[in-house]
Amino acid sequence: MNTDGSIAERPKNTIDWQALRHDFPILHQEVNGHPLVYLDNAATSQKPRRVIDALCHYYENDNANVHRGVHELSNRASAAYEGARNRAAQFVNARSADEIVFTRGTTEAINLVAQAWGTQHIKAGDKILLTEMEHHSNIVPWQLLAARVGAELVYLPVICDQGQLDLSRLDEWLTSDVKLFAMTHISNTLGTVNPVAELCARARKVGAVTLVDGAQSAGHCLIDVQEIGCDFLAFSGHKMCGPTGIGVLYGRLERLEATPPYQGGGDMISTVEFQSSTWNKVPHKFEAGTPHISGAIGLHAAMDYLDAIGRENIAQHDHELAAYAYGELAQLKGIRLFGPHIGRAGVVSFLAADVHAHDLVTVADQRGVALRGGHHCNQPLMKKLGVESTARASFYFYNTRSEVDRLVEVLKEIQKFFGGNS
Ligand code: C6P
């Protein structure tokens, strides 16, 4: 994927995607009497054997607390945990592992920035610019901050029928009183790929700090924080073949250094006295208490696994499969599709006439097809689109064209069942 958000044309890769499915034990089962077709990858991805084995290996051989003991197991656990940090730095091309803070996920990473950095740097009357396609995780923390300090939230509009941000109006919104611009890289409802490098460059011109929500992009395309030029980037391990409960906040070193601690406790201090404390250096200042050690180790294995496939290849595969699904669904009568017509990431949201999204996904589940129905934590976007919910198919590299065909077949059955068009 190019940094302007477009999908780079690449020669056809020679990866045997079907063979990669064997790496995922969970995919080979029947659900409700049908072979599982797992199309809910934007919610969470499945885990390859390599990640499951890394977790087992850690618990069977090296389990101990980090940064505390001087015994062998603690040394091994600490080395593995810090090894994961180094790997995460390399994964997003950070300048240093000190720029990588482990969090519980994207949500906690954004809350860390909003609470710790935001409280220090956003003042009454300042503006925080978001986009209308943000996930609640990239709205609510800023609402809490804005209410606390008296700042104002403003939103870059979405052009509904195109599923794109209205970039022609960016100058209207990105004014000099905007102190922070937080944007999603890939929309979890629309599948839109935003030109984050361009948006960050424009933000820099007015002196705004930038945060990129990489929840839907980190495991799906190459991420280079230096090329994007963002100040912060947040992502979750569980959406990219890693375990739940582990995520990453990348922060430009000088930003992290200018940020007070987020939570207090063990490991984040340098010295503690009865009345006051001093802080550990970045990034440990932000990791109070025993961290999710096995999670970081599992995430390390996931990053290795994804890079062995090649994230450019994954992006291309996602893009082709989503385009195929979009094209097939567009041929069904009574289906309303959301998001961009071309250049989308692996997410396709839709509605079938006269069928509620929840009914649609419930019946699909009875046929073994796992979709998500609802507002996808995008309530303001839903309101803008004039709907309450959508059904959503979201793809990863282990999904196949025949699974898309199965989705289409099931949708036709659903339309017939509910008496709609087909
Ligand atoms: N979206 C979905 O089904 P966490 O829960 O912290 O790992 O990720 C939150 C989050 C933040 N930003 C975006 C763009 C996201 O898509 C998500 C998670 C899931 O779409 C669960 S609502």
Side-chain angles (χ1 to χ4, degrees), residues 113 117-118 121-122 127-129 142 174 178-183 199-200 203-212 229-232 252 255:
V113 178
W117 179 86
H121 297 277
I122 303 284
K127 285 185 179 163
I128 297 167
L129 177 61
W142 306 114
L174 196 50
V178 170
K179 298 298 172 216
L180 178 101
F181 183 11
M183 70 210 79
L199 296 178
C200 290
R204 265 198 311 281
K205 282 195 182 144
V206 299
V209 167
T210 49
L211 179 142
V212 174
C230 54
D231 291 287
F232 297 105
R252 199 187 278 269
R255 298 282 176 221

Side-chain angles (χ1 to χ4, degrees), residues 102-307:
F102 283 121
T103 65
R104 283 192 296 131
T106 306
T107 303
E108 191 182 45
I110 298 172
N111 274 281
L112 191 165
V113 178
Q115 288 194 31
W117 179 86
T119 306
Q120 180 97 341
H121 297 277
I122 303 284
K123 306 278 175 254
D126 286 347
K127 285 185 179 163
I128 297 167
L129 177 61
L130 307 173
T131 84
E132 285 181 345
M133 63 171 77
E134 296 311 312
H135 186 277
H136 295 171
S137 294
N138 204 20
I139 296 176
V140 183
W142 306 114
Q143 289 176 342
L144 293 170
L145 171 67
R148 215 166 41 242
V149 302
E152 188 191 345
L153 297 184
V154 284
Y155 290 87
L156 184 63
V158 166
I159 308 170
C160 289
D161 57 349
Q162 293 176 17
Q164 305 275 12
L165 294 173
D166 189 352
L167 296 179
S168 67
R169 295 177 61 196
L170 187 56
D171 285 340
E172 261 176 65
W173 301 95
L174 196 50
T175 48
S176 59
D177 43 3
V178 170
K179 298 298 172 216
L180 178 101
F181 183 11
M183 70 210 79
T184 193
H185 192 176
I186 293 180
S187 160
N188 63 317
T189 287
L190 301 171
T192 317
V193 185
N194 287 321
V196 284
E198 181 194 334
L199 296 178
C200 290
R202 300 273 290 270
R204 265 198 311 281
K205 282 195 182 144
V206 299
V209 167
T210 49
L211 179 142
V212 174
D213 174 347
Q216 297 296 344
S217 60
H220 292 262
C221 60
L222 280 172
I223 300 275
D224 181 333
V225 289
Q226 298 189 52
E227 207 175 307
I228 293 172
C230 54
D231 291 287
F232 297 105
L233 172 99
F235 61 95
S236 301
H238 70 98
K239 293 185 197 292
M240 44 179 280
C241 293
T244 51
I246 187 77
V248 168
L249 171 68
Y250 155 81
R252 199 187 278 269
L253 196 59
E254 56 271 30
R255 298 282 176 221
L256 290 180
E257 279 171 346
T259 303
Y262 171 51
Q263 295 176 331
D267 229 25
M268 52 74 68
I269 50 82
S270 174
T271 60
V272 178
E273 294 185 34
F274 282 122
Q275 300 301 332
S276 63
S277 302
T278 58
W279 315 134
N280 201 341
K281 58 185 175 41
V282 165
H284 306 289
K285 180 170 81 172
F286 301 108
E287 293 180 6
T290 300
H292 188 3
I293 306 162
S294 63
I297 290 167
L299 178 59
H300 188 160
M303 293 186 283
D304 285 349
Y305 180 80
L306 292 175
D307 280 346

